[in-house]
Amino acid sequence: MDLMTKNAARTTGSMQVKRGLAEMLKGGVIMDVVNSEQAKIAEDAGAVAVMALERVPADIRRDGGVARMSDPEMIMAIQACCTIPVMAKARIGHFVEAQILQSLGVDFIDESEVLTPADETHHIDKMVFDTPFVCGATNLGEALRRISEGAALIRSKGEAGTGNVVEAVRHLRNIFGDIRKITQADSAELFDWAKKLGAPLPLVQEIAETGSLQVPLFCAGGIATPADAALAMQLGAQSVFVGSGIFKSDDPSPRAKAIVEATTHFMDADILAKVSRNLGAPMTGIGMDQINERYAERGW
Amino acid sequence: MKVGILALQGAFAVHEEMLQSLGAETVQVRTTQDLELVDALVMPGGESTTMSHLLTTSQLFDPIAERINNAMPVFGTCAGMILLAKSIADGRPDQRFYGAIDIDVQRNAYGRQVESFETELQVAGLQTPFHAMFIRAPQVVRLGGDVEVLSTHEDKVVLARQGPVMVASFHPELTSDNRIHSLFLQEV
């Protein structure tokens, strides 16, 4: 056989290719960065990807006002300085911001509740893009609606910018708990599950059969320590997003490295004990009763 | 006979499923103790810079190098291929790799994720084409004389073997087709 002859054409932007990148990010840490210096620190620490944004969620929460897609110039500067995938956020329903991010060549678009929603009814039709999307979810129904719109990756929302892991835990338990129950349901009960979840029946039936979500599930929103990252992983998340938790802490670089190690060795308490030492103060964090607006409630 | 899958980061779980579908006994390798249990090792796709970093912090880099020197069969896909190459264009200055197969590679040679693609490959020894996923894939930019080419795409080598070392720039673990893993297990 002559291997040099006859090459089949390339197919880009397929669902398989989009989910493929999500697979490659498993077991890793995706870090929020606001400039090239932070992006370098993140890559040096072993991040699998960076999320380029103008303000970390803690600052968005403090500043208030409308939070939008970042300046393309800033995203391009981050793309130029690191070799790992670069993600960026578009507002919920703002498909033009997503078109711009695709044009910039970002590797993943986060249709994110951390930014101020642009549409209070519709999410972006993600099927029409070649760039993969990640979307947040607080429960299984929300996750399946996003998947039906074309998301290649789901992250539990948690509550961004709080440094408080309690909401992330709630959302992971919601999602995995319902998946476990669905695998026990009989075929007639699946119709009711689809109705209760507000999710397409075929996706619910698929979960009953496979016992897992159609796309990888990562955790976001409130992770501030190596132990938080390992907690999310032990609860079933396959990677973690860390936003304010790194660059709002006293000493970002060692904390970033420690969270990377904790995500890999999430089942090994001896290693977790070792990497958790001497990291300086984590971000202060806030209790859920102290916040005015829950970002997790954005999304429909 | 146990096949290890380097499980520091990346698509190790799907590799494990594929190897198990072929009847192999598998071990996820994260520590030196795990490494001692295995007779062969698969290095999965993921981020090669992250894996290089974690190989060092997990004190696994040197023990794996020693096992490769002692002819342990290894199969690297995408990031795994980068880790096994002789030299890396566009790598990080501190990025470590094994030099186990006489090829030079370029990271992210096809471009960003929007350029990632799927296609059909002709593979030596397989009767029908193999459906392959290229995800921010590396390219072989230099090929040593002793390296056996098993498949090419658009004149680039995408699957190659030198002794007990096999590398793919694509992801055979992302399909349900286990024939390339089977080729590797024949070596084992």
Side-chain angles (χ1 to χ4, degrees), chain B residues 37-68:
Chain B
L37 302 173
V38 306
D39 306 290
L41 187 65
V42 171
M43 296 186 177
E47 266 310 307
S48 61
T49 54
T50 303
M51 283 188 220
S52 159
H53 178 82
L54 286 164
L55 280 165
T56 305
T57 58
S58 308
Q59 275 125 37
L60 266 174
F61 191 90
D62 294 327
I64 289 177
E66 199 184 314
R67 293 292 303 276
I68 291 175

Side-chain angles (χ1 to χ4, degrees), chain A residues 1 3 7-12 14 17 24 26 43-48 79 83-85 105 107 131 264-265, chain B residues 8-10 30 46-47 49-50 53-54 58 92 107-108 112-114 116-119 123 136 152-154 171:
Chain A
M1 174 173 32
L3 297 170
N7 285 130
R10 300 182 188 187
T11 307
T12 55
S14 65
V17 165
M24 296 310 132
K26 280 186 178 175
E43 189 176 291
D44 288 348
V48 288
Q79 286 175 318
T83 64
I84 56 178
D107 295 290
T131 304
T264 291
H265 300 286
Chain B
L8 296 173
Q9 190 272 316
R30 291 188 183 82
E47 266 310 307
T49 54
T50 303
H53 178 82
L54 286 164
S58 308
R92 285 172 51 89
R107 287 179 65 209
N108 304 331
R112 299 184 182 283
Q113 171 63 12
V114 281
S116 293
F117 62 97
E118 47 187 314
T119 192
V123 176
R136 285 172 50 100
T152 65
H153 182 256
E154 293 171 359
H171 294 282

Side-chain angles (χ1 to χ4, degrees), chain B residues 98-144:
Chain B
Y98 289 105
I101 181 166
D102 191 14
I103 57 169
D104 296 350
V105 297
Q106 177 160 15
R107 287 179 65 209
N108 304 331
Y110 293 91
R112 299 184 182 283
Q113 171 63 12
V114 281
E115 306 296 333
S116 293
F117 62 97
E118 47 187 314
T119 192
E120 304 288 327
L121 298 176
Q122 302 290 332
V123 176
L126 302 188
Q127 299 308 312
T128 53
F130 189 90
H131 191 75
M133 306 279 161
F134 290 77
I135 310 291
R136 285 172 50 100
Q139 262 175 8
V140 175
V141 291
R142 186 193 61 82
L143 185 75

Side-chain angles (χ1 to χ4, degrees), chain A residues 162-227:
Chain A
T162 61
N164 188 338
V165 81
V166 65
E167 293 299 301
V169 169
R170 185 194 318 281
H171 300 158
L172 286 172
R173 284 201 180 277
N174 273 349
I175 294 169
F176 287 116
D178 278 354
I179 289 175
R180 282 187 284 268
K181 285 179 209 150
I182 285 174
T183 59
Q184 302 297 313
D186 72 18
S187 57
E189 290 167 336
L190 295 180
F191 293 95
D192 189 46
W193 270 104
K195 195 169 63 186
K196 270 195 304 209
L197 293 172
L201 177 66
L203 293 184
V204 175
Q205 289 169 326
E206 207 179 321
I207 285 179
E209 210 164 288
T210 64
S212 59
L213 205 61
Q214 286 79 357
V215 304
L217 176 61
F218 295 0
C219 175
I223 291 173
T225 68

